[in-house]
Amino acid sequence: MEKELIINASPTGVEIALLEGGKLVELHHQKTNNNFTVGDILIGKIRKLMPGLNAAFIDIGHRKDAFLHYTDLGPKMRSLMKWTNGVINGSINTSKLDNFKFEDEIVKTGKIDQVINKRWPILVQILKEPISTKGPRLSCELTLPGRYMVLSPFSDAVSVSKKIASSDERKRLHALAESIKPKNFGLIIRTAAEGKKVQELHEELMQLMNKWEEIFRQLKTANPPAKLLSELDKPASVLRDLLTDSFSRIVVNEKELYNDIRSYLQNSSPEYVNIAQLHSGSKPLFEQYGVTRQIKAAFGKTATMSSGAYIIIDKTEAMHVIDVNSGHKLTSGDVEQTILQVNLEAAEEIARQIRLRDIGGLIVIDFIDMKNLEHRKQLSKAMEDFMKKDRSQHTILPLSKFGLMQITRERARPEVVLNTSEVCPTCQGTGSVNATILLTDEIERDLEFVMQSRPKLSLYLRVHPFLEAFLKKGWPSRQMRWFMKYNKWIRIVPQTEYQLTDYRFFEGNDDEIRLN
């Protein structure tokens, strides 16, 4: 599927939209003053040990202390502490771990106050950004990610992405990784490394080792709390994790950022340099590529699909709840088959919405009830397939007896929340309506339904005069397109007493066609 990355820079930050087949599937936003990003490595101070929680609160310079649980220490925690203290006090004078003597691994069932001491500085990596009232979540299992591999200090393990289908290619990459891996460093070979030569892998490994050397140099003189290594800025990190040969275009609206991206591509993936483009049109970038329209359609409480079915997304403190509705536009002789099609369409949209909004935690979906066991299995399998593109770790349970599906998804960043309602132009702000940019889509969906269900009916449309002018403007106008599509002239009648967003269909005898 063809992918496009649309990067919109503004004085307050950078917005990044990922389109797959023209459809918006991910939206990232990096503020210019964002000081804490997933992947940053810092030296912190232990503020408080909490044996009851088996966790510690760490001062990393954020207004709220960060949270470090025992399970996130990693088995090599004692070795990491020994190396950190050795670098700070000067007894260790190299970043290499060739001659470093490992300490015993910690046990999974241990207690945090038996492993770390409140007086010691601690080397940590941000696992989750601050969310709501919670501070950042930390890990002591450090990783340095690159495009083709992930470097893990204090480890000897080598693993290859399971997404690489060929067993021969997996064996080749495993052997290559073993041959270039520094002593006491582990490697995870990513999917993007498929087909790459040893020279390309070795060059990236050297870049990652240089980052580890930088951490070592910073650590020698750092005064906790302090940041030792920043994760790449958002555009570069998205490119590193997502860039594949299915990308057809990367469009940027700022010259400096465009040059930075070309420079990054030149160093990491020179074969992709030419897909980067600088936007020079008169229209705003997101509007030019239809991103604004899709944001308005996707981020409301209700998301409507092309068939007229819709989903309602609600958030509670404990979970997200999604309800699937068939709407009033579905008519079919085979009810079970119709329900299956609605549920399959809803599953695809729900997978997109989860990824787009970056919804984490527990998600409960109330699909339309299905009695057919094969249909239930088909829906569960389809949902797993739709969620395969999601990079966040997730678990999907089959439909329960009540027709509910439960999904848990890793929560690493705050959920993307956008207010897409607009101030109602007819009540001067005392109420709100759905985004007016979607009004014509709604009219055409209703017209499609009327024409399918009553093809021989003589009908006309009553709208506000402003909307009438819009539907009749240009060549071919929307009214003319309807004529060419349905081979029937749809008369448009202006009604001054209608609100701007009101519209109603009538039969030739002036009887209203009620759609709700």
Side-chain angles (χ1 to χ4, degrees):
M1 185 180 291
E2 192 177 78
K3 297 180 183 178
E4 299 170 287
L5 206 60
I6 314 299
I7 304 174
N8 182 48
S10 68
T12 58
V14 178
E15 288 181 296
I16 305 162
L18 174 64
L19 306 181
E20 291 183 355
K23 186 175 282 191
L24 180 66
V25 294
E26 287 188 25
L27 189 65
H28 303 271
H29 187 214
Q30 181 182 32
K31 295 180 180 178
T32 51
N33 60 351
N34 190 11
N35 295 322
F36 294 92
T37 305
V38 171
D40 287 353
I41 295 177
L42 312 97
I43 184 72
K45 293 190 294 186
I46 300 172
R47 180 79 73 184
K48 189 186 297 183
L49 292 175
M50 302 290 289
L53 296 173
N54 206 14
F57 286 97
I58 314 294
D59 178 12
I60 60 170
H62 189 262
R63 59 185 179 84
K64 282 188 173 289
D65 288 340
F67 183 78
L68 175 65
H69 194 267
Y70 182 85
T71 54
D72 293 318
L73 295 179
K76 303 291 187 181
M77 182 61 194
R78 290 194 177 98
S79 300
L80 176 66
M81 296 293 286
K82 175 183 173 182
W83 185 83
T84 303
N85 289 323
V87 173
I88 292 173
N89 62 34
S91 61
I92 294 179
N93 54 17
T94 176
S95 63
K96 295 181 179 179
L97 303 178
D98 297 23
N99 300 317
F100 180 77
K101 186 176 179 182
F102 279 68
E103 298 295 308
D104 292 338
E105 293 187 1
I106 65 173
V107 295
K108 292 182 179 179
T109 55
K111 299 294 182 182
I112 197 160
D113 53 358
Q114 298 171 349
V115 179
I116 62 178
N117 189 303
K118 193 174 178 182
R119 295 169 297 175
W120 297 341
I122 185 167
L123 195 60
V124 292
Q125 187 167 28
I126 294 183
L127 197 62
K128 295 182 180 180
E129 290 180 11
I131 298 174
S132 184
T133 59
K134 300 175 183 178
R137 181 155 183 172
L138 306 177
S139 171
C140 289
E141 293 189 271
L142 307 183
T143 56
L144 300 175
R147 174 150 167 68
Y148 303 130
M149 65 183 70
V150 178
L151 182 68
S152 305
F154 306 101
S155 170
D156 268 325
V158 171
S159 60
V160 180
S161 170
K162 293 179 180 178
K163 291 183 180 179
I164 298 176
S166 169
S167 59
D168 290 339
E169 177 64 5
R170 286 166 57 85
K171 289 176 183 177
R172 183 187 76 88
L173 289 171
H174 194 282
L176 281 181
E178 287 282 8
S179 67
I180 63 176
K181 180 183 75 67
K183 187 177 180 182
N184 291 331
F185 285 87
L187 284 179
I188 302 170
I189 303 300
R190 307 181 75 170
T191 311
E194 186 172 9
K196 299 301 177 184
K197 297 178 181 178
V198 65
Q199 180 183 350
E200 295 172 280
L201 300 181
H202 189 264
E203 285 176 359
E204 182 169 271
L205 178 60
M206 291 301 100
Q207 293 173 8
L208 298 178
M209 288 301 295
N210 288 339
K211 287 186 179 182
W212 180 246
E213 175 71 27
E214 178 62 23
I215 292 172
F216 168 75
R217 285 198 301 268
Q218 296 271 2
L219 186 58
K220 286 197 293 185
T221 57
N223 183 26
K227 187 183 290 188
L228 305 181
L229 184 74
S230 290
E231 169 67 306
L232 295 170
D233 61 21
K234 203 69 175 179
S237 65
V238 170
L239 285 173
R240 179 195 66 199
D241 294 339
L242 292 178
L243 192 62
T244 63
D245 55 10
S246 59
F247 267 84
S248 62
R249 181 163 47 190
I250 301 169
V251 189
V252 193
N253 68 338
E254 185 185 77
K255 181 72 172 177
E256 185 178 348
L257 185 57
Y258 167 73
N259 291 332
D260 289 344
I261 287 173
R262 280 187 64 92
S263 177
Y264 173 80
L265 292 173
Q266 189 66 56
N267 292 330
S268 64
S269 308
E271 67 273 23
Y272 295 114
V273 169
N274 291 332
I275 67 173
Q277 303 173 12
L278 180 63
H279 177 66
S280 56
S282 56
K283 273 189 176 182
L285 179 61
F286 272 14
E287 192 174 324
Q288 174 74 35
Y289 289 92
V291 177
T292 301
R293 186 185 192 87
Q294 292 197 53
I295 289 174
K296 291 283 189 181
F299 278 93
K301 182 177 178 179
T302 301
T304 305
M305 292 162 280
S306 57
S307 69
Y310 61 96
I311 60 175
I312 299 173
I313 303 173
D314 262 325
K315 179 183 179 182
T316 71
E317 190 65 28
M319 67 183 80
H320 283 78
V321 182
I322 302 175
D323 185 37
V324 178
N325 293 277
S326 64
H328 56 270
K329 303 181 178 66
L330 292 178
T331 55
S332 172
D334 189 343
V335 177
E336 279 291 319
Q337 192 63 36
T338 301
I339 291 174
L340 174 63
Q341 293 305 317
V342 172
N343 281 337
L344 290 174
E345 185 184 21
E348 183 175 10
E349 179 63 20
I350 288 168
R352 181 178 82 104
Q353 288 283 344
I354 289 172
R355 188 176 168 195
L356 179 59
R357 300 179 188 223
D358 208 359
I359 297 174
L362 177 61
I363 304 157
V364 177
I365 306 167
D366 182 13
F367 285 104
I368 301 172
D369 289 341
M370 293 186 298
K371 296 178 182 178
N372 188 307
L373 183 60
E374 283 304 313
H375 287 179
R376 292 163 69 95
K377 290 180 180 178
Q378 192 175 336
L379 177 60
S380 296
K381 177 67 168 61
M383 186 52 121
E384 291 174 4
D385 292 339
F386 293 140
M387 291 286 288
K388 278 181 180 177
K389 297 175 186 174
D390 196 332
R391 291 177 293 142
S392 295
Q393 292 183 5
H394 57 270
T395 303
I396 303 172
L397 297 183
L399 285 168
S400 71
K401 291 181 179 179
F402 300 112
L404 302 177
M405 180 179 287
Q406 298 173 70
I407 300 175
T408 58
R409 185 175 182 270
E410 177 188 24
R411 192 204 310 264
R413 298 175 183 83
E415 179 189 346
V416 179
V417 178
L418 298 176
N419 183 13
T420 58
S421 61
E422 299 178 354
V423 175
C424 178
T426 59
C427 63
Q428 302 302 315
T430 58
S432 60
V433 294
N434 287 336
T436 54
I437 196 173
L438 304 174
L439 181 60
T440 53
D441 292 354
E442 193 174 343
I443 291 173
E444 290 182 344
R445 276 198 301 266
D446 284 345
L447 178 60
E448 174 83 16
F449 169 70
V450 172
M451 296 306 297
Q452 285 182 355
S453 58
R454 310 181 192 182
K456 297 181 180 179
L457 186 70
S458 173
L459 78 156
Y460 66 93
L461 174 65
R462 289 183 183 176
V463 295
H464 187 278
F466 288 173
L467 188 53
E468 180 220 12
F470 178 79
L471 294 172
K472 290 182 175 181
K473 76 171 186 177
W475 178 264
S477 65
R478 287 181 184 263
Q479 187 182 30
M480 182 57 69
R481 282 187 228 154
W482 296 345
F483 175 75
M484 291 186 284
K485 181 176 181 180
Y486 301 113
N487 199 26
K488 179 179 290 189
W489 186 253
I490 311 298
R491 195 159 49 96
I492 302 175
V493 180
Q495 295 289 135
T496 54
E497 69 270 25
Y498 276 23
Q499 306 291 356
L500 181 62
T501 55
D502 279 352
Y503 66 91
R504 294 173 195 171
F505 289 97
F506 289 82
E507 296 183 31
N509 58 6
D510 293 336
D511 286 337
E512 183 179 349
I513 302 170
R514 298 193 176 274
L515 297 172
N516 293 323

